[in-house]
Amino acid sequence: MNDETELKKHRMFLALLLIVGLLAVWNIRLFWIQVVATRSFTGRGIDLLANSVIQRENGIVLDSGRGDFVDRNGDPLTGKELKVLTVFPVREEGSAGGRREESLNRIAEWMGIPGKEWKIFVSGLKSPEIWSESGRPVALTDSQAERIEALGLPDVRVMRYKQRYAQQQPASHVIGFIGQNPERIMEQFSGQIQKGELQLTSKIGNAGLEKTFDYWLQGIGATSVSLFTDGMKRPLPGLDVRIISPDNPYYPLKMVTTLNKGIQSHIEFQMERLGIAEGAVVVLDIRNADTVAMASRPSFHPGHVDPTEGHWSNRALKATVPGSIFKTVTAAAALEEKAVHPDETFECNGELGKYGFTCWKKGGHGHLTLEEGFAQSCNIVFAEVAKRIGAEKLEQYAQKLGLGTLVGWSGAVPGQADFRQWDGEEKGQVYHLSTDKRDEGALVQTAIGQRDVQVTPLQVANLVVSLYAQGKVLSPRIVQEIRFQNDRLHTSFPPRGLAPEGAAPISPDTAQRLLAWMKEVVDHGTGTALQAAKWPLAGKSGTAQLTLKNGKPGENHWFIGYGPVDQPRYAVAVLVQNVPQGYGNKSVPLFKEVMDILAAP
């Protein structure tokens, strides 16, 4: 019996010893996970410290980690860093609570916040919040930040916050916007969901460069801040505020655009000042087709997007009726095909005599050469010329000059075989597929940029570049390179020419003659108002008839050209859309303002 009791005791001792051993191993394992390996738990590289903050997440995301855009000079277009007031939900009692309340009142006074509004904000906190007005974080001045930091409050901190879009966001249509798009994430980024890099609720690029460059813009993690508290919302001693951020000097990446931020902002201001409700401006470097500025109206803010409204759509990339600026194509075809003798004249009495086709000038222009007809934008001259050229040739020369095709930069880059920089660029057209090209009535309308013809402002600005390049069509860039955060080069997008399929370029001689004819438009043609500009200018005007949404007649007003004449630097296209019929050409004063901005030192 005693032997049996001793055996039981021995078994119990062994069992207890085993339990103690297991507990010891378990505690060592917990110590390793919680203290030693918080940033690299298991072979999957799970960052437990970061995940504990995320799960606690009463924290604030200070920086999403998404890449940013800068202009050609390195000035930021997105991602402005602000000093902001961050308040955490903390409970202080007794004398400490009294001192805290007194300090909070002083903060409200320094920032000019009404006391009642401030009290409601602080007392109603359930999670950390940044002090905002009208939904936007309020930027602190350096003086305000120094005063607040000097108070040493555990629950009120000055933090650096990255605001993606400025209140007056330049080039908003070019940059586009981000937002949730679960369907596209499932369709295009399923691999990143499996890796845990994206969730269905993640924000991705939905338009503009945010969309086309989304592959490179996606960061490697957000920067967030949390304050550790106990169950009574009291700060835990020693832990305090903790900032979690990716520790990588290379990310996020920077998209270096070809834009000039100063020029862009000045053009947008002038469009507002002149009351341009609908339209676009495109400024290209005439030497290489780089996009210096691109503005679109109606305006929109990337932080407040109504997808159904459509204001976010970039009018500079959308095709619409060009009117007489298309006469540049008709003139090029006439010169190349030698359809007109240099001294030959045409008679314009205001009417063609059939198809109801008339000239814009009542009573007509009298006798004109093709060169004079270009300066005066005579419809009759170009109708007669088109009948000699024919529909097929006219369409061919439009293609030779980069119309009816996508002209924006495209090509193979690491990670994407057929990458296009521009989002939503339209090809436009010369003839609709259903149009009978043997129809002479359709031909004469096409010759003056009416009927089926549609072009984009980017295309016609690039047409001017093509003339300067002696007929070679270039491919406009908007992003020239991508750089790591430490400024090392990641990817470059070199300047590139566009070779329209089956279309040899026009001759250098024809290109030079058309540029010279554009000078005459300003000297004694339809653009004489531009003689008051800071620079000597050249170009071609256009007025396209159309029907407005209310059924009333309306017009598109165009002007394309270059400056300064002696040493060209910029090619510009200006479009003012859907103007009620009877108004003067609103594109001419806008073109002058744009060129004056470019002429400023």
Side-chain angles (χ1 to χ4, degrees), residues 547-553:
T547 302
L548 301 179
K549 291 179 181 178
N550 57 15
K552 294 182 179 179

Side-chain angles (χ1 to χ4, degrees), residues 388-415:
R388 301 181 186 183
I389 299 168
E392 296 290 345
K393 288 289 186 183
L394 191 59
E395 188 169 35
Q396 284 176 20
Y397 280 97
Q399 292 170 351
K400 286 174 183 283
L401 289 166
L403 305 184
T405 188
L406 301 176
V407 297
W409 197 102
S410 66
V413 295

Side-chain angles (χ1 to χ4, degrees), residues 38-100:
T38 54
R39 290 198 174 274
S40 58
F41 177 57
T42 81
R44 299 179 184 179
I46 299 172
D47 188 336
L48 291 177
L49 187 57
N51 278 279
S52 71
V53 173
I54 292 169
Q55 289 183 10
R56 183 180 295 274
E57 202 150 3
N58 281 329
I60 298 174
V61 174
L62 300 173
D63 181 354
S64 68
R66 189 173 178 83
D68 282 305
F69 299 97
V70 299
D71 81 346
R72 59 174 56 200
N73 300 313
D75 289 339
L77 294 168
T78 60
K80 183 179 180 181
E81 195 173 78
L82 310 175
K83 289 181 180 179
V84 296
L85 178 64
T86 309
V87 186
F88 296 83
V90 169
R91 180 179 298 172
E92 295 277 11
E93 297 174 352
S95 59
R99 286 193 300 271
R100 174 177 175 272

Side-chain angles (χ1 to χ4, degrees), residues 93-114:
E93 297 174 352
S95 59
R99 286 193 300 271
R100 174 177 175 272
E101 186 174 350
E102 182 182 339
S103 296
L104 289 174
N105 291 337
R106 291 168 70 184
I107 292 172
E109 183 182 338
W110 295 335
M111 296 186 62
I113 305 171

